[in-house]
Amino acid sequence: MNSEKYTLQKIVRLILLSLYDKTGKPETEELQKWQKEHKNNQHFYQKISSPSYLEQGLQEYSQYDSRHAWEQMKLQIQNRKKRFIRRLLPYAAIVILLISTVILTRFQYPAKSPEPQITTTKLIRPGSSKAQLILSDGQQIELEAGNGRLCRPIEGENFLNDGKLLDYRQQPFTKENVTLHTLRTPRGGEYQLVLSDGTRIWMNADSELVYPEHFTGPRRKVELKGEAYFEVAQNTECPFHVVVGDMEVKVLGTSFNISAYPNAKRQTTLAEGSVTVHWQQQEMLIRPGQQVTESNEGLQVKQVNVANYTGWKDRRFIYENQNLGEVLKELERWYDVEIITADQTIGTLHLTANLPKYENIDKVLNIIEYAACVKFEIKNRKIIIRRD
């Protein structure tokens, strides 16, 4: 049997299907033939299928991810090791398989110059901290590292800025009337904001927040377009409200994510505390680990893995059986590119992966190619995706 039939991408796909018990009869037979082709193949498959090997791979992978997340993983290993390994496969199996399969091919197959998977003319770098602040008088201030105006005092205004964080705490408020500020992040941008009450907000790319420079009255209200993660300072006497079009989220002190991009269903995902979502005369209270989404039938609540919806603020894009069309939209916003699908059915594919947010896009696309069996072609800032 010709070994060229089994490309690196195809081997990864067959093993992933096997690990998830998703192989049909054709895939099972093909995987068995591949194992019989060379003794190293069978040895490799037995090794990658071992829970102990997966755990070791996760330990190595965790060094690349956050230390806090790994501490949580180790606790789950001690309590439910077998179930943990199976549940964590979506986040680590792809990484382990890619690394291990590369090692396998190095000693099994003859060395030859690899053909590039992705054609590119220019590196497309990840987004960065940048935003535009619009004051009540219409004045626009570009907030970006390296901008000479970053820390220059503005007469009559009450905030500090360091190129990544805009902070309104502990500043003297000399104005009698409360004025509204608007913070906009462009495609390829992100920013952090601390409001006058101590509420911290992470703004994702292509988003906008309207807020008062300081709060007065019986409630704290902001308006959001796009996506943001909130850690609301607790004040039981003055609830915090996030207005998203005709929808409103009410909280007292909690952590949650709101996604409200145009032409997409609005979602509120709760990490800590509790929130109440109001929409079309419907009111829904959700608890940690729950997500409420608008639908034609009204508000729908379901249990979710919160990290899948908040990982973006912690340097990761985490997907678990996520619609590939939605993944591509997120990459478009973060890398400020246009992604064109050569086949409309590509958007209906699903992806499970844990992607590094601050890598150049070619490295991220390589992982998606292996995981979703697609191919990318980069032409300047346009990316064409085809089925493999």
Side-chain angles (χ1 to χ4, degrees), residues 367-386:
I367 297 175
I368 297 177
E369 280 191 337
Y370 288 116
C373 292
V374 294
K375 284 189 177 295
F376 292 94
E377 180 183 0
I378 300 177
K379 295 182 177 180
N380 297 318
R381 301 198 74 84
K382 286 188 177 181
I383 300 173
I384 301 171
I385 176 174
R386 298 182 174 88

Side-chain angles (χ1 to χ4, degrees), residues 220-238:
R220 300 168 286 171
K221 187 182 84 168
V222 300
E223 298 180 19
L224 173 68
K225 296 178 182 178
E227 185 170 24
Y229 182 87
F230 295 80
E231 286 185 356
V232 176
Q234 188 169 6
N235 185 342
T236 56
E237 297 180 355
C238 188

Side-chain angles (χ1 to χ4, degrees), residues 20 88 156 226 235 241 251:
Y20 285 120
L88 204 62
N235 185 342
H241 294 250
V251 303

Side-chain angles (χ1 to χ4, degrees), residues 72-332:
Q72 292 181 327
M73 292 176 190
K74 289 195 295 185
L75 289 175
Q76 294 183 60
I77 290 176
Q78 295 169 1
N79 295 333
R80 298 180 181 179
K81 188 171 183 178
K82 290 184 179 179
R83 291 179 61 187
F84 164 77
I85 291 297
R86 179 65 74 180
R87 184 167 63 250
L88 204 62
L89 275 172
Y91 304 108
I94 291 172
V95 176
I96 297 169
L97 280 170
L98 290 180
I99 295 172
S100 302
T101 308
V102 169
I103 295 172
L104 174 74
T105 54
R106 283 181 180 175
F107 69 77
Q108 178 177 335
Y109 300 118
K112 60 181 180 179
S113 300
E115 296 181 3
Q117 294 275 348
I118 296 176
T119 304
T120 178
T121 56
K122 182 180 179 182
L123 282 178
I124 298 178
R125 302 189 184 280
S128 60
S129 293
K130 54 187 172 185
Q132 183 184 67
L133 175 63
I134 304 174
L135 305 180
S136 57
D137 61 1
Q139 182 180 358
Q140 299 179 1
I141 304 172
E142 301 299 327
L143 308 177
E144 185 175 2
N147 191 314
R149 293 175 292 173
L150 273 179
C151 299
R152 183 181 300 173
I154 299 177
E155 186 176 354
E157 299 301 334
N158 303 283
F159 54 79
L160 296 176
N161 180 64
D162 65 2
K164 295 183 178 181
L165 173 70
L166 189 61
D167 194 341
Y168 288 78
R169 292 173 299 178
Q170 300 177 352
Q171 300 302 309
F173 294 102
T174 57
K175 298 178 182 178
E176 294 183 0
N177 297 325
V178 176
T179 57
L180 296 177
H181 288 181
T182 301
L183 187 63
R184 290 177 181 166
T185 53
R187 289 164 61 99
E190 64 179 358
Y191 223 76
Q192 292 187 43
L193 170 68
V194 180
L195 301 177
S196 61
D197 65 338
T199 292
R200 183 178 290 266
I201 303 170
W202 287 257
M203 292 186 61
N204 208 346
D206 197 15
S207 300
E208 176 181 300
L209 189 75
V210 179
Y211 56 93
E213 61 176 357
H214 68 279
F215 293 108
T216 60
R219 71 172 188 166
R220 300 168 286 171
K221 187 182 84 168
V222 300
E223 298 180 19
L224 173 68
K225 296 178 182 178
E227 185 170 24
Y229 182 87
F230 295 80
E231 286 185 356
V232 176
Q234 188 169 6
N235 185 342
T236 56
E237 297 180 355
C238 188
F240 193 95
H241 294 250
V242 183
V243 177
V244 187
D246 62 348
M247 182 182 291
E248 189 164 330
V249 180
K250 177 184 176 182
V251 303
L252 295 176
T254 187
S255 301
F256 59 97
N257 189 85
I258 295 180
S259 179
Y261 285 108
N263 303 316
K265 294 181 179 180
R266 291 169 290 187
Q267 296 177 329
T268 299
T269 308
L270 186 60
E272 298 177 4
S274 63
V275 303
T276 303
V277 179
H278 303 262
W279 183 54
Q280 294 185 348
Q281 299 181 341
Q282 188 178 5
E283 181 175 299
M284 192 74 69
L285 175 69
I286 61 174
R287 301 295 182 185
Q290 291 183 327
Q291 179 186 81
V292 60
T293 305
E294 66 174 323
S295 71
N296 294 333
E297 291 74 35
L299 295 176
Q300 303 291 324
V301 178
K302 65 179 179 179
Q303 202 74 24
V304 297
N305 184 344
V306 174
N308 295 348
Y309 302 91
T310 63
W312 63 269
K313 81 175 185 66
D314 296 318
R315 309 177 66 86
R316 311 295 301 181
F317 288 129
I318 303 175
Y319 305 112
E320 186 173 357
N321 201 32
Q322 182 71 33
N323 182 284
L324 186 58
E326 296 177 7
V327 173
L328 298 179
K329 289 179 182 178
E330 185 161 32
L331 296 180
E332 281 185 318

